[in-house]
Amino acid sequence: MADYIKMPTLGFDMEEGTMGGWLKNVGDPVAKGDILAEIESDKVTQELQARSEGVLLAILANEGDNVPVGANLGIVGAEGEDISGMMNGAGAAPATQPATAPEPAAESAPATAISTPALAPAAPPSQVPADNTLPGGVRATPVARRIAQEKGIDLSQVVGSGPDGRIRKADVENFVPAQATTPAPTAVTPAPVVVHEVPVGPNSYEEPLSRMRKAIARRMTESKTTVPHFQVTSNIDMEAALALRKQINASLTPEEKVSVNDLVVKAAALALREFPNINASFAGDKIVYHNDINIGSAVAVEGGLLTIVQKNTDISTMSKVAIDHKEMIGRAREGKVMPADVEGSTFTVSNLGAFEVEQFVAIINPPNAAILAVASAKKVPVIVDDEITIGVRMKATISADHRVTDGAEAAQYMQTLKQILENPMRLLL
């Protein structure tokens, strides 16, 4: 039976991907795991793998098309199979234009139509009447809503080209406000993003932002301006943890060796067992608590950074944590990350210890409620039994969402993390 090839998700906030070139032609045999094409999102490029076997019967999205997550890219089935119903069915997109995202049963994300302070254009005659059950009373894709908000466009004035008049990305990008003679009603608009004019002289040059850098700029700005951060710092004695790491690695292959970050990630996960508020997410009028503890680690890649996610970290062995990290980091730096590598984090660790960093604070990675910033473990003078001696200390700082947790709880979490790393045999239990 024929199956659709669908646009995968490469991160919780991914809304669409760009099709790369197809590596198979219509009529070519397909085996499970075959690479069919490349998909590019804001942050990663992924090889699109076949999940069924047969023959590539149809291509529904072409190179360069921007396709919503979950939309159909192609069809795989038995040679000669009749797929005419699938070509005309719901969700299928013609090969000459981007696929259209399926209409959700109900749009529940809070959104407000933004009116421009200029003159209100008259509604075009072909415009679909407002529907009060939808955000702002209009049908629009998530991408179209975001672009409209960034540009200050009133979506009620945009004519949609999608099914049932749904407003798509191209409709917003091509929208030109009409002139009118009556002033628009007063509306509260969000403060515009300040963009400084920077002169480009003979000793300067400019380059447009990459998709990854645009995504980082957008997400970090949203986090810093909408999430009430607070920070708590601990100074951790790392001598016992580093000694244990040395002992563990003495008997392991290079692929299995444990890094300092592996130790910190495992300790962070164990500490989260006692603090469910920190392993949670703020969701408007409720808090979502996660039963699984999945630790994300920020990884520097060309042009920016990615967060790879080690699943069920609190119940994973140290060797599994280490192996998972090496494999995912390798794929991230080769541009071959898989969807599972970047999905599902409930807490994030950002470790700059390799760069001789004394201390730093990190910006929360939504929808996580907290992020741990880890600095270098250094030899420093310390006082033990009223005597000055040499010790190894590492500063770690948690940035937490004050809507989900409070200072005392974050401080208690850092105490627990410190106790685990200073008594590291708990990492092996």
Side-chain angles (χ1 to χ4, degrees), residues 234-318:
S234 288
N235 200 17
I236 301 170
D237 183 349
M238 289 295 289
E239 282 197 80
L242 295 180
L244 178 63
R245 172 177 175 253
K246 183 176 180 179
Q247 185 177 354
I248 291 172
N249 286 345
S251 59
L252 297 178
T253 65
E255 294 75 22
E256 298 172 315
K257 288 188 183 298
V258 173
S259 69
V260 175
N261 189 66
D262 296 331
L263 297 176
V264 173
V265 165
K266 176 69 175 180
L270 291 177
L272 284 173
R273 287 177 172 177
E274 301 179 29
F275 300 93
N277 282 342
I278 300 177
N279 193 55
S281 298
F282 181 80
D285 59 350
K286 57 184 177 292
I287 295 175
V288 178
Y289 295 93
H290 307 294
N291 291 326
D292 295 333
I293 297 176
N294 303 329
I295 307 296
S297 293
V299 177
V301 296
E302 184 177 356
L305 58 86
L306 287 173
T307 299
I308 54 100
V309 184
Q310 206 282 328
K311 305 298 196 301
N312 299 307
T313 313
D314 60 320
I315 58 175
S316 297
T317 64
M318 278 304 314

Side-chain angles (χ1 to χ4, degrees), residues 55 99 103 123 168 226 290 322:
V55 173
E103 184 71 37
R168 301 168 60 187
T226 64
H290 307 294

